Structures are given as C-alpha cells and as structure tokens.
C-alpha cells in the first residue's frame, strides 16, 4: 500500500511511488492549466520547454530562452499546486556545472521545485552540482528534443545495441548523480522495461511503452489542442480544439448586427 499522499508532493514521495502505483505527469505552462491539473490530482506538473512549440510557436525547443521559461514557471507557480512543480532547463543553460547551478537557481527562484535537463553521462558533473546545491533533479534520456539540430530529427532510441548500452550507462550515471526520477522519451519498449527494472528511481515514459513507472504527456497533445500535430504515441486524445472552435463560431453567429450603422446607410464618417 502506498502511504497516504502528503499535503504537498515531494521528490521523496514521487520516488517512493516506484513499484507501488503509476505516476501520472503532465505539462502546464500557465496558471489556469496548473490549477486544472492540480485539481485533477496529477502529482507531477512539468513546465516543459515543449512550451516553445505548443505555446510560443517556435519550430523546436532550442529557441526557448531562460527568460521565457522563468516567466511561464512564475505563472504556473501562482497556482500553488499540491503537485510537485518541475521546470525544464532551457537549451544551452547547463553547459558547465557553474552555469547549470546558476540557471537552476533562477528557475527555483521563479517557483519551480525541481529542474529537468536532457542527457546522462555527458552532463553528470552538472547534475552533481545541481543536486549538491540542494535542487531536486529529474533526468531525461532517449530522444532528446534539444538535440534535434545535431540529430536532424526526432528518432526512437534503443533500437541498436550501441544505443541500448548507452542508455543503460546514462541511466546508471543519473542515479549516481542523484536524480530522483528519469523521463524516458521515445525509447523502445523492451529497453524502457529493462531500465525500469534496473534502476531504483522511477522511470516516466513518453512514447516508451507501458512498462515504465509512470507516463508523461504534453497536455495539449492529450487534450487535442496542440496547434500543429499530435505525436503517434498519444493514444487517448480528446480533440478539444473542435468543440472550442465551434463555441467561437457559435458566438460569432450570435452577434446581432447593429440596427443602424452610419457607414451602412451612407452616413458621414467624422474620421474622414
Ligand atoms: O518539454 C516537455 O514537455 C518534456 C516532456 C515531453 C517530457 O520534456
């Protein structure tokens, strides 16, 4: 039996959910969505840098700035969620241990309670420095969206033995560095299952099969309001954009034309 959820969800509580109950995690980028997810009981809310694509209209997450992340973290944090509120460290904001700690502190000052960055062994020193600074850290392995320019697209990881071995070593490095959770994005399901069995911290999958300790989605993908496309791994989607557009159209139809418009009746336009 899982112990009763505390008033405030902590990294230790999420970590202890491993093997007990599935961890549901979703993204939020502002106050109303953070309120809504929290009222539904979601224990982990991420201000993801997917923000760049689903809110700010950028082509990928590499364009998201530190200031934009902090602005949206502040908005989500105003919801004062019972959920743990985590935030993504934006592209190139954790190149050295010093810059990683300074930029993680900025997100914490904005209201985040944990930070996430992409990579394993490559950023182990940065993670150790963040954890040593007392900031809870979530890892992110598999397909790393911030590497889209280097990799020329978004590719599933774990299909070949070299990727499989790299994922095992990176997951071990994250555990060693003190991460309390690891997100596995687009990892082949057998490798995600092996990682879940191998490491003592929860794995939270996105497009990584059912055998992770939890699942995370970009909330606009789940609700069907993402403007561009819905990824293949999003199975249950509400397509809420359709009824939302219908409400707007209905409201426009409901507008009554003005009874007598001076322009419509050839009246004088004082502006001309
Ligand atoms: O930016 C984001 O929303 C994420 C999740 C997809 C895991 O990193």
């Amino acid at each position: 039996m899982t112990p009763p959820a505390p008033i405030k969800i902590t990294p230790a509580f999420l970590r202890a959910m491993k093997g007990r109950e599935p961890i549901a995690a979703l993204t939020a980028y502002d106050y109303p969505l953070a309120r809504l997810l929290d009222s539904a009981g979601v224990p982990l809310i991420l201000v993801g840098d997917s923000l760049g694509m689903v809110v700010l209209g950028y082509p990928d997450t590499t364009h998201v700035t530190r200031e934009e992340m902090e602005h949206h973290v502040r908005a989500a944090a105003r919801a004062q969620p019972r959920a743990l509120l985590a935030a993504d460290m934006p592209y190139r904001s954790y190149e050295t241990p010093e810059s990683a700690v300074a930029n993680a502190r900025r997100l914490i000052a904005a209201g985040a309670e944990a930070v996430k960055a992409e990579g394993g062994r490559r950023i182990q020193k940065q993670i150790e420095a963040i954890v040593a600074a007392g900031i809870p850290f979530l890892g992110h392995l598999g397909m790393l969206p911030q590497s889209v320019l280097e990799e020329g697209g978004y590719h599933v990881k774990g299909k070949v033995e070299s990727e499989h071995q790299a994922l095992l070593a990176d997951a071990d490095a994250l555990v060693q560095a003190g991460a309390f959770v690891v997100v596995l994005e687009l990892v082949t399901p057998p490798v995600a299952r092996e990682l879940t069995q191998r490491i003592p911290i929860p794995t939270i999958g996105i497009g990584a099969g059912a055998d992770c300790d939890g699942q995370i989605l970009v909330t606009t993908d789940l609700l069907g309001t993402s403007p561009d496309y819905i990824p293949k791994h999003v199975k249950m989607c509400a397509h809420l954009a359709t009824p939302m557009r219908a409400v707007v159209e209905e409201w426009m139809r409901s507008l009554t034309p003005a009874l007598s418009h001076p322009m419509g009746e050839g009246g004088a336009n004082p502006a001309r």
Side-chain angles (χ1 to χ4, degrees):
M1 275 282 289
T2 313
I7 301 294
K8 175 70 196 160
I9 305 287
T10 61
F13 181 80
L14 287 174
R15 187 175 169 153
M17 285 174 78
K18 184 175 176 89
R20 292 178 161 155
E21 61 178 292
I23 300 173
L26 285 168
T27 60
Y29 316 102
D30 57 23
Y31 172 79
L33 191 53
R35 283 280 300 265
L36 187 126
L37 300 184
D38 202 47
S39 68
V42 172
L44 174 59
I45 297 177
L46 173 71
V47 185
D49 61 356
S50 50
L51 160 75
M53 295 164 84
V54 300
V55 175
L56 301 179
Y58 292 137
D60 58 60
T61 60
T62 66
H63 299 262
V64 179
T65 65
R66 287 183 317 187
E67 289 73 18
E68 286 164 344
M69 282 306 299
E70 288 165 34
H71 174 81
H72 286 270
V73 168
R74 278 194 293 274
R78 284 186 201 109
Q80 300 189 330
R82 176 173 166 276
L84 187 86
L85 187 69
D88 264 336
M89 299 200 63
Y91 185 58
R92 294 215 166 138
S93 70
Y94 48 99
E95 308 242 277
T96 64
E98 294 73 25
S99 65
V101 171
N103 290 321
R105 284 197 172 124
R106 288 175 62 144
L107 291 170
I108 298 293
E113 296 158 328
V115 299
K116 173 165 85 58
E118 299 180 5
R121 287 163 295 170
R122 187 174 57 82
I123 59 163
Q124 186 163 0
K125 293 241 171 327
Q126 287 90 315
I127 302 170
E128 283 165 358
I130 289 170
V131 172
I135 299 172
F137 182 84
L138 294 84
H140 187 149
L141 296 179
M143 189 283 284
L144 306 179
Q146 292 177 5
S147 302
V148 63
L149 303 178
E150 287 144 67
E151 300 210 347
Y154 302 108
H155 307 295
V156 175
K157 292 295 163 78
K159 285 183 175 166
V160 294
E161 193 49 26
S162 58
E163 287 174 358
H164 172 203
Q165 291 307 324
L167 282 164
L168 298 184
D170 284 334
D172 291 345
L174 288 181
V175 173
Q176 230 186 329
F180 72 94
V181 149
V182 56
V183 169
L184 301 179
E185 181 157 8
L186 297 190
V187 171
T188 60
V191 174
R193 188 183 322 117
E194 183 180 351
L195 288 169
T196 301
Q197 287 164 354
R198 177 184 180 96
I199 61 176
I201 60 173
T203 59
I204 301 193
I206 173 162
D211 295 325
C212 295
D213 296 303
Q215 298 289 331
I216 186 165
L217 285 179
V218 170
T219 302
T220 55
D221 290 346
L222 176 67
L223 299 182
T225 58
S226 286
D228 294 321
Y229 89 114
I230 307 285
K232 271 200 291 230
H233 59 259
V234 182
K235 300 276 182 309
M236 208 176 69
C237 169
H239 302 292
L240 290 187
T242 306
M244 284 165 77
R245 190 170 47 240
V247 169
V248 172
E249 289 165 355
E250 179 62 29
W251 174 76
M252 287 170 67
R253 278 194 297 273
S254 78
L255 301 181
T256 32
L259 278 181
S260 61
H261 193 287
M263 290 303 288
E265 291 174 6
N269 183 348
R272 290 197 186 163

